[in-house]
Amino acid sequence: MNVGLTTAILPANEAAVADAARSLRDGGLVAFPTETVYGLGADAGNAAAIARLYEAKGRPAFNPLIAHVGGLAAAQRIAHFDAQAVLLAQAFWPGPLTLVLAKAPGCAVADLATAGLDTIAVRVPAHRIARAILRAFGGPVVAPSANLSGHVSPTTAAHVSSDLAGRIDLIIDGGAVEVGVESTIVGCFDAPTLLRPGGVPRAEIERVLGRTLLQPPDDADSDSGQPLAPGMLASHYAPRTKVRLNADRIEAGEALLAFGPHAISGVEAASIVMNLSARGDLNEAAANLFSYLRALDTKGVRAIAVMPVPHHGLGEAINDRLRRAAVGRE
C-alpha cells in the first residue's frame, strides 16, 4: 500500500464535486458523504482502482461492493429488475436501501467489484453531494464505508481522515451524515430476503412488498467467508474447468495462470499462459484475477494450473478466492 499519499480535504461545493469526478475518472479514491455513512468511492468499471480500494481499507477480502448510481434508469443498465425490485426502487430510492439483483447483460461493473458473482448490489443515494458526484462522473461508483476495516463506520470527514489520510486521494467534507448506519440490503431472489438491516426498517419494506422478508441462512455472515452481499457470504465465481493450485510444473493440455517474472517447469507445454502480474504486483494481480479465470475457462483446456501467490497483503484474498475456485475441482 502506498501510504504517504497526500490526501486533499475539500469543502463540499461545485468545484469539489468536479475535482471528485475527475479523480474517479483517473482511477483515484474519493471519500464523500452519503446519507448513511461516508463512502470510499472508486470507478466501478476500473478493476485496478477497486483493488486499490480494498488495499486502502486494510482488508484484503474481495467481498462484493455496492454500486452507487444516479437513478433507476442507470441501475437498470447494470442490473435486472423484476416487478418487486422496481416496486422497492420506486418506494425507497433515492435512499438507504441496497438491492441485490442479477447482473444485466453487458454490465459494465468490474468482476472484482462483484466478487465474481452473477449478482450485483445497487443503490441510489439521497445525499445531494453524493448525487452531484455521480452526475458529474456519469457512471456507477462503488463506495463501501470510508474507514479502515474493523473500525467504526465514519459519519464525518474527520473520521475518514483519521483512518485513511495518506491512503486515498481526496475527501469531500459535507459535514455530518444524516442516517449514520449503513443501508438496508434486500436480496431480490425468488423470495425477497433481508440480507442486512440498515437505514430502511424491515417493516416499511414489508409494507411495500405486502409480504414478509425471508432471513438469510444462519451461517451467512461476514466472517464465515461466503458473502451473499456486501458484508455477508455467497458463492464466489468458480470456473467449470478443473483448477490445480500451487503448481510447480505444467502438464500437457493445461493452461497456466502465472504470477511474477519466473517460469515454472514445463511452461512450454502450456496450452495458454496468462500472468496475473508479470512484475509480481499483488494489486495488479487482484485486479486481473476474476477476468483471467473467466478467460481461461473458455479455452477448453484440461485444467488451469495456478502458480503460487504470496499470502501477504492482497495475496491473502487472492489465495482465498483461488482456493474457493478450486473446491471440488482439484
Side-chain angles (χ1 to χ4, degrees):
M1 177 69 210
N2 185 24
V3 178
L5 186 72
T6 299
T7 301
I9 303 176
L10 301 178
N13 55 33
E14 189 174 337
V17 166
D19 285 346
R22 187 178 308 112
S23 182
L24 290 168
R25 282 192 290 269
D26 290 342
L29 302 181
V30 178
F32 57 86
T34 76
E35 73 277 20
T36 57
V37 298
Y38 271 72
L40 179 58
D43 177 356
N46 184 335
I50 295 164
R52 278 191 65 206
L53 184 153
Y54 283 119
E55 193 176 23
K57 282 178 63 69
R59 184 182 183 185
F62 301 149
N63 292 326
L65 301 175
I66 298 171
H68 294 66
V69 295
L72 178 56
Q76 288 173 320
R77 288 194 283 272
I78 61 174
H80 172 72
F81 282 71
D82 62 14
Q84 291 184 118
V86 170
L87 195 63
L88 291 174
Q90 291 174 337
F92 297 109
W93 281 357
L97 177 68
T98 293
L99 301 179
V100 177
L101 306 153
K103 286 182 183 177
C107 174
V109 173
D111 284 341
L112 188 59
T114 62
L117 298 172
D118 292 326
T119 55
I120 185 167
V122 188
R123 182 164 99 84
V124 178
H127 196 286
R128 64 180 183 85
I129 295 300
R131 292 176 63 75
I133 290 171
L134 288 168
R135 283 194 302 271
F137 177 65
V141 172
V142 293
S145 57
N147 58 290
L148 290 173
S149 178
H151 287 199
V152 177
S153 294
T155 56
T156 69
H159 295 162
V160 179
S161 180
S162 176
D163 269 15
L164 299 179
R167 291 171 172 260
I168 65 176
D169 300 282
L170 180 60
I171 300 171
I172 305 300
D173 186 353
V177 301
E178 179 182 350
V179 176
V181 295
E182 291 85 356
S183 62
T184 302
I185 301 180
V186 172
C188 295
F189 310 134
D190 291 339
T193 302
L194 181 64
L195 299 179
R196 182 181 77 183
V200 178
R202 173 205 294 268
E204 292 187 20
I205 297 169
E206 291 179 338
R207 177 181 54 78
V208 169
L209 289 174
R211 63 187 297 176
T212 300
L213 290 168
L214 295 187
Q215 287 291 115
D218 290 340
D219 61 351
D221 60 63
S222 60
D223 295 322
S224 54
Q226 304 286 336
L228 284 171
M232 296 193 58
L233 270 194
S235 6
H236 297 289
Y237 174 74
R240 295 181 300 273
T241 308
K242 174 184 173 183
V243 174
R244 185 166 65 83
L245 300 180
N246 298 314
D248 58 4
R249 71 192 188 286
I250 293 295
E251 299 174 357
E254 289 186 325
L256 174 62
L257 185 61
F259 176 82
H262 305 297
I264 63 173
S265 177
V267 66
E268 64 280 352
S271 299
I272 182 172
V273 177
M274 298 187 76
N275 197 321
L276 290 169
S277 175
R279 63 179 187 267
D281 184 317
L282 290 171
N283 221 37
E284 181 181 24
N288 289 332
L289 178 61
F290 288 119
S291 59
Y292 283 18
L293 279 174
R294 287 182 183 272
L296 292 175
D297 200 24
T298 67
K299 302 301 182 183
V301 295
R302 184 168 64 84
I304 301 170
V306 184
M307 286 177 60
V309 175
H311 202 64
H312 60 80
L314 282 175
E316 181 181 1
I318 293 167
N319 283 314
D320 176 76
R321 292 313 181 265
L322 287 170
R323 178 178 58 79
R324 294 181 191 283
V327 169
R329 292 169 174 82
E330 287 192 291

